[in-house]
Amino acid sequence: MGVLTFFKRNKTFYYIKNGFLDALPRSFFNKKLKLWIGYQNKYPKKLIEERVTYYINNKLPQKKIDGIQLKNFQKKGHKSMYYYDLMKYGRYFNQNLVVKFLFGDVDTNVASPTFVKSRPINHNGNSVLLPLNKLRHFNFIDDTTPFSDKKDEIVWRGITHKENRKLLVEKFKNRKGFNILPIFLKDKNKTNFISIKEQLKYKFILSIEGNDVATNLKWIMSSNSLCFMPKPKFETWYMEGKLRPNHHYVLIKDDYSDMEEKMNFYSKNIEEAEKIIQNAKNWTLQFKDTKLEKVLSLLVMNSYFKQTQQLK
């Protein structure tokens, strides 16, 4: 891990940096809002429109927002990663504006326009996506090991708190070619734990949803390993709902009954596997443009305030 990557991924540095920014006068950021929104002209109009429209419904239901003013949100002391990630953009706006937010893993539709990290792919249009809890979820890695040089096996580690994960472990625990084991939060010895670095030694890595999206999806899709997963039911800023089966990832059945068959196929068809891996990397590339990500986030928030009739 390089020095720059370390600081980007380090929690202590994250809180120090964001605590400092949060203490600066909001006027410092207000003056720069038009400048940042103006940067959208440096990108293709279609790209901007498609992504903003994806994150926020163009016609949000016109309902009264039972939320909180940005200035009071700050005073309440919500100093979590969710708070800092929302205020990374919220501090650029008039602090009298009202926001409604739902932090944490969101797996249901909401009743009124609300900022969320995640939502069902089949949503009702009220859930407005922002890149929240980004330090945990948007972990992209550099993988230097070619797919063909990796172990011809599949790997997965995770908490078995959902039936789909319990089924996975029941079917494949201790089977040859399947390094699939549960992780227990209360296990101080971390018996079954293996690092991302170790998982990258495998040709195939499973991504299985838990409370909402699978945390490991982003780093798998930025690697030289092939992502296996059932069709996702939830999405985040990463736009999981737009991922194409067998183009960005290998689609497997919800009961995993075809997983071994597909492992055998891609073990023998290296070029087909590498095509999917490259498509996944190409998809991930857009989220690495930090300026674009900030412009889009500000545009989504700006649209939110306009559509809830708080801005002209």
Side-chain angles (χ1 to χ4, degrees), residues 14-43:
Y14 172 91
Y15 280 110
I16 292 173
K17 173 187 173 183
N18 283 280
F20 170 76
L21 292 172
D22 204 47
L24 292 175
R26 293 297 188 249
S27 58
F28 175 81
F29 300 96
N30 296 161
K31 294 174 182 178
K32 296 184 177 182
L33 178 60
K34 286 185 178 180
L35 176 66
W36 271 105
I37 287 181
Y39 281 132
Q40 67 180 294
N41 297 321
K42 296 183 179 293
Y43 296 94

Side-chain angles (χ1 to χ4, degrees), residues 35-49 51 285-286 288-296 299:
L35 176 66
W36 271 105
I37 287 181
Y39 281 132
Q40 67 180 294
N41 297 321
K42 296 183 179 293
Y43 296 94
K45 185 177 180 180
K46 184 180 179 182
L47 167 68
I48 297 293
E49 289 179 349
R51 284 191 62 181
L285 195 61
Q286 62 186 309
K288 293 183 177 182
D289 186 333
T290 54
K291 180 176 284 188
L292 173 61
E293 293 292 276
K294 186 167 183 176
V295 169
L296 288 168
L299 286 171

